[in-house]
Structure formats: structure tokens, C-alpha cells
Amino acid sequence: MRNKPIGNHSGHIALSVTCMLIWLLACQIVVAQSNNDYLLPNIDLSHWKVTLPIGQGKPVEVEPPEILDYASIQELKPFMYNDSTDASLVFYTYPGAVTGNTKYSRTELREQMTPGSNKVNWTFEQGARMKGTLAVAEISKTSKGKFDRTIVMQIHGRLTNEQKESIGQNDNNAPPVLKIYWHNGYIRVKTKELKDINGIGKDLLPKEAWEDDKGYNFPEYVGNKPFTLEVIVTKGRLEVILNEKTSKVYQGIHMRKWGVFENYFKAGNYLQTKNPNGFAKVKYYALEISHSDITIPEKRKKKKRKANE
């Protein structure tokens, strides 16, 4: 019996090993692509409820624990869903059903410190922090060709039952002390100011006692790309930080006297148009809140920043 040439046999083995390595590498790439395609957002919804732009008489709301199963809730699917290609939670909205005391619709989260209840909230003295990474992926334009606006974060005030009764108001609604807008690719911040800084006690409680400030535009253009917003609240002080490098600080008489209110965070997509063709898609990649050990970072304490008095 003839022996087969050793060189030829070795060549077949080498070729087989090479093919096997290529196949394994291809499998790894497919697996990696598959894993990337199904990434999920880093968001804990156990302390949030969501308001939708649909409903008869009043908007549909979904609270915890039901919201934790948002991907399976039919009413939620068109408005709040995962985009697994970039690990985001999408908030889609258009003009539709509105909440009381407002004229615009939303797909927006409302903080609930006690899941399922709006009754437990926080004060500036107690402190609070919210941080999110997000992007305004798509938004409609006006008839003049300019982009519509949407509010992506808020701090909303709330009256206690005693405060509500003391001024004869029918609900617990108080003004939002902070509204953060996406506006033509820039981040715009508006806060509240007292019309009469000498007001005290019950004088501070009516909505009519407060008005919007002139607003502040961060100079950095964010466009439709992801950006990070952080809001830090301490007694008599409010700070908004964009992309961990630029901040706007509010402190002084208006913030000190705002301490009379309870508050809660909001985040999502509060579209500022009634145009029936309007729409917006806001993506959140991460969102977190905390109410303990709220401190001003040392590097920010040492820097003198312009504040609204």
C-alpha cells in the first residue's frame, strides 16, 4: 500500500483548521450583532407613571407596577417602546388628549415616590437629583419651517391638601418651577419667579403669584444626538447641568421662597404644539433619580456662576 504524501495531508489539515477559525469568528460576529440588536435601556420604571396623548375625557395613565410590563400593554405600545438597535426607551407623542390645566398633550413620566400614589413628594430642603441621557430623534416643523419644541424634563410643584384648602383651590396643582426644552437643537431652561418678592405665607401659593423668567439657552448645540442632563436640587438652590460640563445655577429669593411647595420630577416628551400634523420622538437611554445624600459637587461649589436672583 502506498503512503499518501505527508505534505498534501498537512495542507488539508491546515485548510480545515483555517475554515474552522473563520466559521467561529463569523459566529462570534453574528452573536455580537445579535446582542447589540437587543440591548435594553437602563431605566427603572418602578417609581414612575406615564401619561399618554389618548383617552376620553382625560388622558390614559399607566402606573406601577403595571408600567413595568410596558412592552406588553397594547395602549402603550405606539407611544412608549424599546428601540433595541440603540438601547433606548422611546416616547412618541402627537397632539391629542390633555391633562387638566394644560393645553398640550404628552407622553411623559411622572415621578411617584410611593409607587401608585401622587401623594408623597419632596421639598427643596429635602433635596433631589435627576439625571438622564436622551435625544430628540425626530420632531415636526411649523408652517414656517422651524422645528417645534418639546419639554424633556420638568420639576412640578404640588400643593398639600392643607395648602389647597387654605386658598380655596379645587386641586393640588401648583406651577412647574423648572421646564427644560429642546428648542431648535439647543437646550432651553425656564424657571419661575415671584411677581412680588415680599409675599409670604399664603401669598406664595396661588399660580398667579408666579411667572416665567426670561429663560436661558445653553450655548452647546445638541441637535438630534444623545446628550446628558442633570438636575440637582438643594435648599434654596437649583442647578441644571448639560453634558457634565456646563451648568446654570438658580439661587436667591425666588428659589428660597419656592421651598413652600412639594415637588416631583417629570421626564419624557411634552410636545408644545397643537398642530394636528405635529409629532415628536424622544429617546431616553438612561434615567435615574435620588433623594438621599444630595450634595453640590466640590468643583461646582468653588466656581462662581451667574445666578438668577
Side-chain angles (χ1 to χ4, degrees):
M1 180 181 292
R2 285 185 175 182
N3 291 328
K4 293 183 179 179
I6 294 176
N8 189 38
H9 182 63
S10 300
H12 282 299
I13 293 175
L15 181 60
S16 298
V17 170
T18 301
C19 290
M20 179 65 72
L21 289 173
I22 292 173
W23 181 80
L24 288 172
L25 179 60
C27 288
Q28 289 176 345
I29 292 172
V30 169
V31 170
Q33 289 176 338
S34 177
N35 287 340
N36 286 336
D37 286 345
Y38 293 93
L39 291 174
L40 297 177
N42 180 27
I43 299 175
D44 178 6
L45 293 170
S46 59
H47 289 271
W48 297 96
K49 76 171 181 179
V50 67
T51 301
L52 304 179
I54 57 172
Q56 297 295 327
K58 63 178 182 178
V60 170
E61 294 185 337
V62 180
E63 298 184 331
E66 288 78 16
I67 193 174
L68 301 179
D69 195 29
Y70 64 91
S72 301
I73 300 175
Q74 292 301 319
E75 285 182 312
L76 274 177
K77 284 183 178 181
F79 306 104
M80 180 177 162
Y81 55 90
N82 294 327
D83 185 341
S84 57
T85 64
D86 63 359
S88 66
L89 178 58
V90 181
F91 296 89
Y92 176 80
T93 200
Y94 52 70
V98 299
T99 58
N101 304 303
T102 64
K103 59 182 179 180
Y104 299 120
S105 58
R106 67 191 80 198
T107 302
E108 186 181 38
L109 297 174
R110 193 270 198 211
E111 179 190 12
Q112 291 187 323
M113 295 183 73
T114 298
S117 172
N118 294 336
K119 295 180 180 179
V120 181
N121 302 282
W122 50 268
T123 65
F124 270 46
E125 184 170 3
Q126 292 168 327
R129 174 182 170 272
M130 175 167 62
K131 186 175 183 180
T133 300
L134 62 148
V136 177
E138 299 178 35
I139 193 165
S140 53
K141 291 184 177 181
T142 68
S143 58
K144 296 182 179 180
K146 293 184 178 181
F147 286 109
D148 285 314
R149 299 185 305 165
T150 189
I151 296 175
V152 295
M153 283 186 178
Q154 295 190 73
I155 296 177
H156 214 290
R158 190 179 190 276
L159 297 173
T160 65
N161 287 336
E162 290 182 357
Q163 290 173 333
K164 177 186 71 172
E165 293 168 3
S166 72
I167 61 174
Q169 187 168 304
N170 294 327
D171 57 33
N172 298 90
N173 193 53
V177 67
L178 173 69
K179 294 182 288 188
I180 304 180
Y181 295 81
W182 183 96
H183 187 201
N184 289 322
Y186 291 89
I187 302 305
R188 179 168 174 77
V189 181
K190 292 185 75 69
T191 63
K192 291 295 183 185
E193 294 182 340
L194 265 176
K195 294 178 182 178
D196 178 8
I197 61 173
N198 296 313
I200 58 173
K202 291 199 306 182
D203 297 337
L204 307 178
L205 301 179
K207 300 171 190 175
E208 297 75 21
W210 300 85
E211 62 185 356
D212 285 342
D213 69 355
K214 295 179 180 179
Y216 171 77
N217 292 327
F218 279 95
E220 180 180 354
Y221 179 76
V222 300
N224 302 112
K225 296 180 179 179
F227 58 92
T228 297
L229 282 171
E230 185 174 10
V231 179
I232 301 174
V233 176
T234 52
K235 185 177 180 180
R237 187 181 187 275
L238 169 62
E239 182 175 13
V240 181
I241 307 162
L242 176 62
N243 283 333
E244 300 183 343
K245 60 184 179 182
T246 310
S247 84
K248 175 65 174 173
V249 176
Y250 298 86
Q251 58 189 358
I253 188 65
H254 304 294
M255 291 297 109
R256 289 198 299 271
K257 292 200 172 185
W258 187 265
V260 70
F261 293 110
E262 292 184 347
N263 305 274
Y264 53 89
F265 285 124
K266 304 192 83 175
N269 185 2
Y270 184 15
L271 182 61
Q272 303 292 289
T273 182
K274 297 175 73 175
N275 185 328
N277 296 319
F279 70 94
K281 183 186 291 184
V282 177
K283 294 186 170 187
Y284 266 81
Y285 303 90
L287 179 64
E288 59 184 41
I289 51 176
S290 58
H291 297 285
S292 61
D293 301 323
I294 308 300
T295 58
I296 304 167
E298 286 296 326
K299 64 180 180 180
R300 302 193 193 284
K301 287 182 180 178
K302 294 176 182 178
K303 292 182 180 180
K304 292 184 178 179
R305 299 182 184 275
K306 184 178 178 181
N308 286 2
E309 297 293 335

